[in-house]
Amino acid sequence: MHHYEHFWLNPVFWVAVSFVIFVVLLGRTIWGKATEALDARANRIRADLDEAARLRAEAEAMRRQAEADRVAAMAEAEALVARARAEAERVSAATAAEAEAAAKRRERMAMDRIQAAEASALAEVRNAAIAIAAAAARDVIADKLDASADAKLIDAAVAELPKVLRAA
């Protein structure tokens, strides 16, 4: 018998076979656990990607909503500014009209006071002129008239009386 003929009787052969079986079983177990771990990791990554996609969609929706809100706020602000300008112009026009009316009233009042003062001054001047004329007439009459001239004046005044009364 030759040394190579009965290899199955050799303990080294059986150790090698046992080692190969052990490595195959161990490898199969390790391979199963590794694929399980990799599958779990892939599922986690897939779930994370799905979550990220969902969050991105939410963020996009929020961005669109914020943009729409910004546009609406800008439109509202522009409308408020336009209303404020219109109100300011209206108030300005009303204030200018009121100021002009007040100035006209003051001017009218001043003109009335001036006219009253002129009338008063004119009346005073007339009264003074009448007083001066009366005094002068009295002096002239007292100096120049005697009884015959006085009678002539009275006759002339009486003759003129119907004309004066008709004119009045």
Side-chain angles (χ1 to χ4, degrees), residues 64-96:
R64 283 191 300 275
Q65 182 62 41
E67 182 66 23
D69 290 348
R70 186 189 66 77
V71 167
M74 286 298 289
E76 185 176 341
E78 288 172 359
L80 282 172
V81 167
R83 281 196 303 268
R85 280 191 182 128
E87 181 65 16
E89 288 174 7
R90 187 191 64 75
V91 167
S92 174
T95 302

Side-chain angles (χ1 to χ4, degrees), residues 50-72:
D50 291 344
E51 178 70 10
R54 185 185 64 78
L55 290 174
R56 179 188 169 118
E58 284 180 15
E60 282 294 319
M62 289 172 68
R63 185 190 60 77
R64 283 191 300 275
Q65 182 62 41
E67 182 66 23
D69 290 348
R70 186 189 66 77
V71 167

Side-chain angles (χ1 to χ4, degrees), residues 21-36:
I21 291 172
F22 175 75
V23 167
V24 167
L25 290 177
L26 183 64
R28 210 172 188 197
T29 305
I30 290 174
W31 182 259
K33 295 219 186 246
T35 56
E36 248 180 59

Side-chain angles (χ1 to χ4, degrees), residues 10-26:
N10 189 349
V12 173
F13 169 74
W14 290 112
V15 168
V17 169
S18 300
F19 181 73
V20 168
I21 291 172
F22 175 75
V23 167
V24 167
L25 290 177
L26 183 64

Side-chain angles (χ1 to χ4, degrees), residues 39-59:
D39 287 344
R41 185 161 187 229
N43 287 338
R44 273 196 318 272
I45 290 171
R46 196 172 298 111
D48 288 346
L49 287 174
D50 291 344
E51 178 70 10
R54 185 185 64 78
L55 290 174
R56 179 188 169 118
E58 284 180 15

